[in-house]
Amino acid sequence: MQVAPHNETVEIRVRSNGLTLCARIEGPTQAPPILLIMGLGMQLVAWPEPFRAPLIAAGFRVVSFDNRDSGLSTPMDHLGTPDLFWASLRYSLRMKVNAPYRLEDMAADTLGLLDALELERAHVVAVSMGGMIGQILAAVHPERVASFSCLMSSSGSRQLPGPTLAARAALLRRPRNPRNVENAIDTLEHLMRVIGSPRYPTEPAELRAQVAGWVRRAYRPAGTIRQLVAIAASGDRSGLLSQVRAPTLVVHGLLDPLIPVAAGRDLARRIPGARLEVIEGMGHDLPPALLPQLAELVLEHVVQSSTRPHEEA
């Protein structure tokens, strides 16, 4: 098995849960690991360097990866593309949603990644859909999660408010020509601007370059649809959250239009002992202006959690 040498970065492929996952490992090989789980349709390269760098500088080994159906990990095109209209209708009518896979499968992928990298326990930092995957991992496999930092995510409770109309429309918007790179960049850039932080907007040229890098590395719109339907099919995790034993930090933007702040407050109430940090002016992104604050919050939580005795599950 390949591992990252001291203070260097490697990108590797590992077998997990019958799939191949692309992972990036940064920092000292023997350092305590921090596992980063990205959100819907996003790739490991969506974790900004100014967020990762302080974690590495503090002496942690940072592992990020592409979820199934995103980036350079195994695509699931053989499972077909769900009909998003009918899935949405069934969800709104509280009917069972059929999906090619569920968030539980993605949590199993994540567990398999830890196994493949021979990581007994890790500090888990996760955003949006990644936070949902992290909730399952922390609840079902508490012995593998040293601490949990859950950013801009949700329990999936039906009682919570949904996205704004603008955010929902931007999420479901498709490029005029999906095979045209510039069309794909335009569509994703529009989404990031709609759901981004109103008081901390990313400079237009920087956002465009960032999104272009994501699209040119990999563009899997059908995979994003399958992940979206997986969220709907997996339902409400409220009852599961009481099983989370890891020290938990919940971070949410006050102005999040995709997953409103009520979801963050709900998570903090449902996870035993969770600490809630609501950031004014923040939306549903990781804007450059807030990266130092976000990294500081997460690092403080990870360091404090590292000094606590490990409670056996």
Side-chain angles (χ1 to χ4, degrees):
M1 180 190 67
Q2 292 176 284
V3 295
H6 186 73
N7 288 334
E8 290 188 9
T9 300
V10 293
E11 189 171 294
I12 63 174
R13 306 295 191 274
V14 299
R15 292 295 294 172
S16 169
N17 197 26
L19 309 175
T20 297
L21 300 182
C22 178
R24 176 179 59 194
I25 306 174
E26 304 170 281
T29 301
Q30 301 303 318
I34 296 177
L35 177 68
L36 307 180
I37 312 177
M38 190 33 83
L40 176 70
M42 303 301 284
Q43 309 173 53
L44 63 83
V45 291
W47 288 104
E49 191 275 339
F51 178 82
R52 305 184 330 266
L55 308 181
I56 298 166
F60 290 93
R61 181 186 185 195
V62 175
V63 179
S64 51
F65 69 104
D66 294 331
N67 286 306
R68 64 162 70 191
D69 246 348
S70 65
L72 303 181
S73 290
T74 298
M76 311 299 288
D77 294 331
H78 63 285
L79 298 177
T81 304
D83 187 315
L84 203 51
F85 172 79
W86 286 110
S88 300
L89 181 61
R90 292 182 69 87
Y91 181 80
S92 66
L93 295 176
R94 299 179 180 257
M95 299 172 65
K96 180 181 177 181
V97 176
N98 297 314
Y101 52 81
R102 296 164 59 94
L103 294 179
E104 288 82 357
D105 298 303
M106 301 182 78
D109 297 346
T110 308
L111 181 66
L113 176 65
L114 292 177
D115 290 341
L117 297 178
E118 299 178 2
L119 301 178
E120 181 181 350
R121 300 175 77 227
H123 298 278
V124 173
V125 181
V127 299
S128 197
M129 181 191 73
M132 302 172 194
I133 295 169
Q135 292 162 32
I136 297 169
L137 184 67
V140 179
H141 300 282
E143 75 284 356
R144 306 301 295 273
V145 180
S147 73
F148 184 31
S149 299
C150 188
L151 285 64
M152 50 183 131
S153 194
S154 172
S155 67
S157 169
R158 294 281 195 161
Q159 307 304 315
L160 295 170
T164 64
L165 291 178
R168 188 186 301 273
L171 182 64
L172 299 179
R173 183 178 179 181
R174 294 291 172 260
R176 292 191 305 274
N177 179 2
R179 297 183 179 181
N180 181 287
V181 172
E182 292 303 314
N183 282 178
I185 293 171
D186 289 343
T187 301
L188 187 52
E189 181 183 11
H190 173 73
L191 171 63
M192 297 306 297
R193 196 160 299 288
V194 169
I195 68 175
S197 299
R199 296 185 192 171
Y200 303 96
T202 302
E203 194 276 325
E206 182 178 357
L207 179 61
R208 180 77 179 185
Q210 184 181 61
V211 170
W214 298 345
V215 170
R216 291 194 170 99
R217 180 176 184 262
Y219 183 59
R220 302 264 185 81
T224 300
I225 292 174
R226 284 187 288 268
Q227 290 182 357
L228 189 59
V229 174
I231 294 172
S234 299
D236 188 345
R237 289 170 300 283
S238 298
L240 192 66
L241 295 177
S242 63
Q243 300 177 33
V244 175
R245 294 291 175 263
T248 298
L249 169 68
V250 175
V251 180
H252 218 103
L254 185 63
L255 301 180
D256 191 327
L258 189 62
I259 302 180
V261 67
R265 294 182 172 128
D266 174 72
L267 276 177
R269 284 194 300 267
R270 296 182 184 279
I271 298 176
R275 167 189 164 199
L276 174 65
E277 291 285 343
V278 174
I279 300 181
E280 293 189 10
M282 179 177 169
H284 198 84
D285 64 343
L286 299 171
L290 288 178
L291 293 177
Q293 181 180 354
L294 292 171
E296 182 180 4
L297 282 171
V298 168
L299 184 57
E300 177 188 44
H301 178 65
V302 166
V303 170
Q304 288 180 349
S305 301
S306 299
T307 64
R308 300 182 188 180
H310 171 41
E311 295 182 9
E312 297 296 336

